[in-house]
Amino acid sequence: MDLVIEIEPGGGEKTAAVYRALRAAIVDGRVPAGYRLPATRVLAADLGVSRGSVAGAYERLVAEGYLTARVGAGTFVAEAAPARRRAAGPAPDPLRPRPGWSLTPLPTSGEGPAPRYDFRTGIPDARLFPFDTWRRLVGAELRLRANNPGTYAEPSGHPALRAAVARYLGYARSVRATAGDVVVTNGTQHALDLIGRVLLRPGDVVAVEEPGYPPARRLFTSLGARVVGVPVDEQGLVVSALPAHCRLVYVTPSHQFPLGRVMSLARRQELLGWARKRQAAIVEDDYDSEFRFSARPLEPLCTLDRSGRVLYVGTFSKSMLPSLRTGFVLVPPGLRPAIVAARQAGDGYGQVAVQAALARFIDDGQLARHVRKAGRSYLDRHIRIVREIGRISALDVIPSAAGLHVTALLERGDPARIVMLARRSGLEIENLADYAAEGPPSRPGLVFGYGAVDPDLIEEGLARLPALIEDSQRRDGQAQQRRPAVEPEQRDHRHEREPGDHP
C-alpha cells in the first residue's frame, strides 16, 4: 500500500520537510515498526520533490535510529524506533448520541472459554453442522461468481434463495408463499429493523410479550417507539391487555420466548381479530419451530391471517449457525416495495455467494437432513433436562414441545443468587427475570438452553442445582436476620407519608 504523508507547503528546504513528515508519521504510530518504506524514486514522485531530498531524509532518519537500511531489501521502520510522543491532552469529543443508544453485551458473546456446563440460551450445537458440505457449496458459488462481472445484487435477496425459502416454508410449516413474498435479511434483528423503519413513527406504541425477547424491545425503543409489555398466560399473549392505540404487536406464538408455551388457536384468532379491528400490524417471530418434539404444530398466524396484517419472520441462526447471519421476512404486498427500499438504503444487499449456497443447501435436501439429525440430538437433551429438573423439588418445569430451551419456575430460593453461585461453579444458567423489563415476573424462574451443552455433562451439571438452591435460601435468610428492626414509632411515621413520597 502506498505511503501517504504531507510535507509543509511553501518554500524551505525540501529534505528537511520530507524528514519532518516521515518522522511525525513514525512517532505518531501511523507508520508501524517493520513497515517497508517506498523506494526513494517512488516517494519522490509521489511528493513532487527530487530523489535526493528523499534520500537525504532517509539517511538522517537512519542515523537517528528511526529507520534501518538493509542492502538489497530496502528501508524499514526500526523495531526500536523512539517512543511515540504523548498527546498534549484529550482529543475533542463534542458529539453525543440521542437517548436510547447504549450497547448491551450479549450473554453469548465473549472470547473466553465456554463454561463447562453451558446451559445458555440461543446457541445451536455447531458440532452437528455439516461443515464439509457447506464449504463445498460456498466454494462452488465463489468460483462461479469469480467469472462474472462485478454487479450489484437484488436488495430483496438472491432469487434462488427466495424461491427455496418459499418452498421450504410450504412443506415444513404449511405456509403458502411465493418467492415474491420473501425478503432475505441478515437475521431476525435486521428484519425487525426494516419493519420498524417502514411502519413506525416516533411515539408509536409497540406491544411486546412480557417476559419476552429483550433485543426486540431494545430495537423498537431505539427507533423512537413507546414499547409496552403485555403479559403472557398459559394460552399465550393476553390480547385483552393490549394497548388500544397499538401500531405493532411482536409475538412468538409457536414457542413463546422465554416461557416456551404455545399460543392456543383461540388466542391466535382473537389476536388476528384485534389487529384487523385496530388496523395494527403483527410481527410473528418463528425463531426455532424447526425443532418440534410433539404432534403437528398449530398453523402459523400468517397462514390464519385473512386481512394481510402479519409479517412472518424466520431465521437460519438456530437451524444452521448464527454466524451465517441469514434470515427472511414474508411481507404483505402493500409493504413489499417499502421494505425492499429500506433494505437497499441500509446495507444494499447481502452476501450473494452465501445466499446462493444456502439455496442449494435447501433444495438439495441438506437443510431438512440436518434439521432431522440435530432434532434427534436436541430431543434427547430436552428429555434428559426435563427429567433431571423434575427431580428437583424446588423447580416446576413449564411444558415445552419445541425449540432449544426450557424454563422452570422456582418454588423457593433467590434466582439471581442461584445464577451467580452457579456461574462460580462452572454452571451457566439464566434468570427468568432478565427477560422481564417491566418488573419481576409473577413467579421467579430459571431458563435452561440445551443447544450448547455437552450432552454427556447434562446430568452432572444439573446435579449441582439442589445444593445451590439451598445455599441461596440460607444466605437470603441470613440477610433478612441482619436487617435492623423498625421501631414502632418509625412504622407509624412511615405510614404518615403522602402518596408518591420516596421512603
Side-chain angles (χ1 to χ4, degrees), residues 2 37 42 119 128 134 169-170 186 191 207 225 255 274 278 312 333 342 350 436 438 486:
D2 292 340
L37 294 180
V42 174
F119 292 92
L128 302 174
W134 180 247
L169 292 175
N186 295 329
H255 185 226
W274 183 94
R278 301 286 182 175
Y312 180 89
E438 302 190 3
V486 179

Side-chain angles (χ1 to χ4, degrees), residues 6 16 36 65 87 95 113 120 155 198 207 212 219 244 246 268 278 286 311 361 383 385 400 408 436 498:
E6 296 292 335
R36 184 180 184 276
L95 301 179
R120 292 176 294 175
V198 164
L219 179 89
C246 183
R268 293 175 190 231
R278 301 286 182 175
D286 200 10
L311 294 101
F361 193 77
I383 293 172
I385 288 176
S400 174
E498 294 295 327

Side-chain angles (χ1 to χ4, degrees), residues 449-478:
Y450 46 84
V453 67
D454 186 334
D456 295 333
L457 298 177
I458 289 176
E459 288 82 3
E460 181 181 320
L462 295 180
R464 298 171 173 238
L465 263 182
L468 297 174
I469 294 172
E470 296 303 321
D471 192 11
S472 78
Q473 283 186 279
R474 285 194 299 271
R475 297 190 183 196
D476 190 43
Q478 293 169 358

Side-chain angles (χ1 to χ4, degrees), residues 168-474:
Y168 178 75
L169 292 175
Y171 65 76
R173 295 293 282 123
S174 297
V175 172
R176 295 182 294 274
T178 67
D181 301 320
V182 179
V183 175
V184 179
T185 67
N186 295 329
T188 297
Q189 285 297 105
H190 187 207
L192 298 182
D193 182 54
L194 294 175
I195 294 168
R197 284 195 283 142
V198 164
L199 275 179
L200 300 176
R201 298 184 180 92
D204 280 349
V205 177
V206 174
V208 299
E209 297 164 320
E210 175 72 9
Y213 183 53
R217 172 184 282 269
R218 288 194 294 266
L219 179 89
F220 293 130
T221 300
S222 74
L223 294 174
R226 185 164 67 88
V227 181
V228 177
V230 178
V232 178
D233 63 15
E234 288 76 9
Q235 294 191 62
L237 183 84
V238 179
V239 176
S240 60
L242 284 167
H245 302 291
C246 183
R247 173 65 169 156
L248 185 149
V249 183
Y250 169 82
V251 289
T252 54
S254 297
H255 185 226
Q256 200 278 330
F257 188 86
L259 297 178
R261 297 185 175 117
V262 177
M263 183 181 286
S264 68
L265 179 59
R267 190 64 61 83
R268 293 175 190 231
Q269 298 284 13
E270 184 184 2
L271 176 59
L272 289 170
W274 183 94
R276 183 172 59 253
K277 180 180 178 181
R278 301 286 182 175
Q279 297 185 346
I282 299 172
V283 176
E284 178 180 16
D285 185 354
D286 200 10
Y287 64 99
D288 66 358
S289 64
E290 293 91 348
F291 303 115
R292 179 158 292 278
F293 314 130
S294 65
R296 180 182 177 86
L298 293 174
E299 288 185 287
L301 286 170
C302 69
T303 299
L304 299 171
D305 180 30
R306 295 293 180 268
S307 59
R309 299 206 164 269
V310 176
L311 294 101
Y312 180 89
V313 174
T315 178
F316 295 98
S317 293
K318 306 298 183 294
S319 58
M320 295 179 66
L321 295 171
S323 58
L324 294 181
R325 303 312 307 139
T326 306
F328 59 88
V329 54
L330 300 186
V331 187
L335 287 180
R336 222 166 281 156
I339 292 287
V340 175
R343 175 72 198 267
Q344 187 178 49
D347 68 342
Y349 57 93
Q351 302 178 67
V352 179
V354 171
Q355 292 185 14
L358 180 53
R360 289 275 306 279
F361 193 77
I362 295 172
D363 286 340
D364 291 351
Q366 296 292 342
L367 177 61
R369 189 175 298 113
H370 168 62
V371 167
R372 285 195 297 270
K373 175 185 174 183
R376 288 192 294 268
S377 179
Y378 294 144
L379 172 60
D380 174 68
R381 301 180 203 191
H382 176 90
I383 293 172
R384 291 162 64 181
I385 288 176
V386 170
R387 182 184 64 225
E388 292 304 311
I389 295 176
R391 293 172 176 169
I392 303 173
S393 60
L395 291 174
D396 183 16
V397 177
I398 297 177
S400 174
L404 298 178
H405 75 274
V406 294
T407 296
L409 301 178
L410 194 61
E411 299 290 342
R412 60 181 183 275
D414 180 352
R417 186 170 287 116
I418 293 170
V419 169
M420 179 189 68
L421 295 173
R423 184 171 293 123
R424 292 176 180 174
S425 66
L427 172 62
E428 192 73 33
I429 54 180
E430 296 180 13
N431 186 353
L432 178 60
D434 292 340
Y435 298 99
E438 302 190 3
S442 57
R443 288 186 63 185
L446 300 172
V447 186
F448 304 82
Y450 46 84
V453 67
D454 186 334
D456 295 333
L457 298 177
I458 289 176
E459 288 82 3
E460 181 181 320
L462 295 180
R464 298 171 173 238
L465 263 182
L468 297 174
I469 294 172
E470 296 303 321
D471 192 11
S472 78
Q473 283 186 279
R474 285 194 299 271

